[in-house]
Tab-separated table of all heavy atoms in Angstrom:
chain	number	residue	atom	x	y	z
R	1716	GLY	N	11.745	33.698	22.427
R	1716	GLY	CA	10.955	33.858	23.620
R	1716	GLY	C	10.818	35.424	23.991
R	1716	GLY	O	11.383	36.211	23.430
R	1717	ILE	N	9.964	35.610	25.010
R	1717	ILE	CA	9.716	36.836	25.514
R	1717	ILE	C	10.962	37.540	25.911
R	1717	ILE	O	11.183	38.998	25.815
R	1717	ILE	CB	8.734	36.866	26.768
R	1717	ILE	CG1	7.349	36.192	26.221
R	1717	ILE	CG2	8.423	38.187	27.330
R	1717	ILE	CD1	6.457	35.795	27.336
R	1718	PHE	N	11.938	36.946	26.528
R	1718	PHE	CA	13.198	37.645	26.988
R	1718	PHE	C	14.296	37.601	25.848
R	1718	PHE	O	15.402	37.866	26.109
R	1718	PHE	CB	13.589	37.027	28.256
R	1718	PHE	CG	12.574	37.146	29.281
R	1718	PHE	CD1	11.973	36.010	29.735
R	1718	PHE	CD2	12.263	38.379	29.782
R	1718	PHE	CE1	10.963	36.083	30.659
R	1718	PHE	CE2	11.117	38.414	30.801
R	1718	PHE	CZ	10.504	37.279	31.251
R	1719	GLY	N	13.948	37.176	24.604
R	1719	GLY	CA	14.869	37.385	23.587
R	1719	GLY	C	15.609	36.021	23.421
R	1719	GLY	O	16.430	35.887	22.481
R	1720	GLN	N	15.490	35.107	24.226
R	1720	GLN	CA	16.125	33.762	24.126
R	1720	GLN	C	15.564	33.000	22.981
R	1720	GLN	O	14.379	33.031	22.733
R	1720	GLN	CB	16.079	33.144	25.441
R	1720	GLN	CG	14.829	32.281	25.842
R	1720	GLN	CD	13.735	33.144	26.209
R	1720	GLN	OE1	13.615	34.320	25.869
R	1720	GLN	NE2	12.732	32.531	26.755
R	1721	SER	N	16.452	32.300	22.334
R	1721	SER	CA	16.001	31.457	21.142
R	1721	SER	C	16.211	30.136	21.355
R	1721	SER	O	17.218	29.640	21.880
R	1721	SER	CB	16.801	32.069	19.889
R	1721	SER	OG	16.628	31.238	18.841
R	1722	ARG	N	15.291	29.251	20.961
R	1722	ARG	CA	15.345	27.871	21.119
R	1722	ARG	C	14.934	27.123	19.709
R	1722	ARG	O	14.138	27.664	19.046
R	1722	ARG	CB	14.708	27.265	22.227
R	1722	ARG	CG	13.172	27.479	22.237
R	1722	ARG	CD	12.649	26.930	23.636
R	1722	ARG	NE	11.104	27.377	23.555
R	1722	ARG	CZ	10.083	26.711	22.977
R	1722	ARG	NH1	10.277	25.585	22.249
R	1722	ARG	NH2	8.865	27.146	23.075
R	1723	LEU	N	15.514	25.869	19.567
R	1723	LEU	CA	14.946	25.139	18.440
R	1723	LEU	C	13.541	24.621	18.458
R	1723	LEU	O	13.208	24.240	19.720
R	1723	LEU	CB	15.949	23.924	18.038
R	1723	LEU	CG	17.285	24.315	17.475
R	1723	LEU	CD1	18.141	23.074	17.273
R	1723	LEU	CD2	17.203	25.000	16.184
R	1724	LEU	N	12.914	24.678	17.512
R	1724	LEU	CA	11.401	24.149	17.542
R	1724	LEU	C	11.382	22.863	16.818
R	1724	LEU	O	11.356	22.784	15.496
R	1724	LEU	CB	10.436	25.288	16.822
R	1724	LEU	CG	8.959	25.155	17.100
R	1724	LEU	CD1	8.649	25.310	18.670
R	1724	LEU	CD2	8.317	26.256	16.426
R	1725	ASP	N	11.454	21.819	17.570
R	1725	ASP	CA	11.526	20.426	16.771
R	1725	ASP	C	10.107	19.998	16.538
R	1725	ASP	O	9.112	20.395	17.210
R	1725	ASP	CB	12.136	19.386	17.764
R	1725	ASP	CG	13.685	19.703	17.902
R	1725	ASP	OD1	14.332	20.219	16.889
R	1725	ASP	OD2	14.395	19.499	18.933
R	1726	LEU	N	10.003	19.093	15.571
R	1726	LEU	CA	8.684	18.350	15.383
R	1726	LEU	C	8.620	17.381	16.451
R	1726	LEU	O	9.512	16.737	16.938
R	1726	LEU	CB	8.798	17.681	13.936
R	1726	LEU	CG	8.586	18.460	12.834
R	1726	LEU	CD1	8.677	17.661	11.562
R	1726	LEU	CD2	7.100	19.228	12.817
R	1727	PRO	N	7.314	17.168	17.050
R	1727	PRO	CA	7.142	16.109	18.093
R	1727	PRO	C	7.472	14.740	17.408
R	1727	PRO	O	7.178	14.500	16.250
R	1727	PRO	CB	5.626	16.228	18.392
R	1727	PRO	CG	5.028	17.272	17.438
R	1727	PRO	CD	6.128	17.706	16.655
R	1728	THR	N	8.007	13.767	18.264
R	1728	THR	CA	8.352	12.543	17.762
R	1728	THR	C	7.253	11.433	18.150
R	1728	THR	O	7.164	10.432	17.641
R	1728	THR	CB	9.844	12.039	18.243
R	1728	THR	OG1	9.821	12.235	19.637
R	1728	THR	CG2	10.905	12.849	17.594
R	1729	ASN	N	6.529	11.890	19.027
R	1729	ASN	CA	5.383	10.972	19.445
R	1729	ASN	C	4.127	11.621	18.920
R	1729	ASN	O	4.046	12.396	18.199
R	1729	ASN	CB	5.345	10.680	20.991
R	1729	ASN	CG	5.069	12.067	21.736
R	1729	ASN	OD1	5.173	13.161	21.148
R	1729	ASN	ND2	4.694	11.989	23.037
R	1730	GLU	N	2.935	10.988	19.494
R	1730	GLU	CA	1.679	11.430	19.004
R	1730	GLU	C	0.796	11.948	20.180
R	1730	GLU	O	0.212	11.011	20.895
R	1730	GLU	CB	0.984	10.361	18.159
R	1730	GLU	CG	-0.451	10.607	17.808
R	1730	GLU	CD	-0.727	11.954	17.113
R	1730	GLU	OE1	-0.441	13.075	17.751
R	1730	GLU	OE2	-1.210	12.077	15.936
R	1731	PRO	N	0.959	13.255	20.523
R	1731	PRO	CA	0.175	13.644	21.642
R	1731	PRO	C	-1.297	13.704	21.440
R	1731	PRO	O	-2.104	13.493	22.490
R	1731	PRO	CB	0.606	15.134	21.869
R	1731	PRO	CG	1.135	15.532	20.561
R	1731	PRO	CD	1.512	14.319	19.893
R	1732	LEU	N	-1.769	13.786	20.282
R	1732	LEU	CA	-3.275	14.064	19.976
R	1732	LEU	C	-3.774	13.038	18.873
R	1732	LEU	O	-4.001	13.637	17.751
R	1732	LEU	CB	-3.494	15.481	19.663
R	1732	LEU	CG	-3.206	16.533	20.687
R	1732	LEU	CD1	-3.285	17.998	20.114
R	1732	LEU	CD2	-4.291	16.354	21.844
R	1733	PRO	N	-3.846	11.817	19.052
R	1733	PRO	CA	-4.273	10.903	17.950
R	1733	PRO	C	-5.695	11.167	17.518
R	1733	PRO	O	-6.458	11.738	18.465
R	1733	PRO	CB	-4.044	9.506	18.592
R	1733	PRO	CG	-4.074	9.745	19.952
R	1733	PRO	CD	-3.505	11.008	20.452
Side-chain angles (χ1 to χ4, degrees):
Chain R
I1717 297 171
F1718 304 108
Q1720 79 287 17
S1721 169
R1722 60 180 172 88
L1723 285 181
L1724 198 59
D1725 289 326
L1726 282 177
T1728 49
N1729 63 345
E1730 172 51 301
L1732 298 168

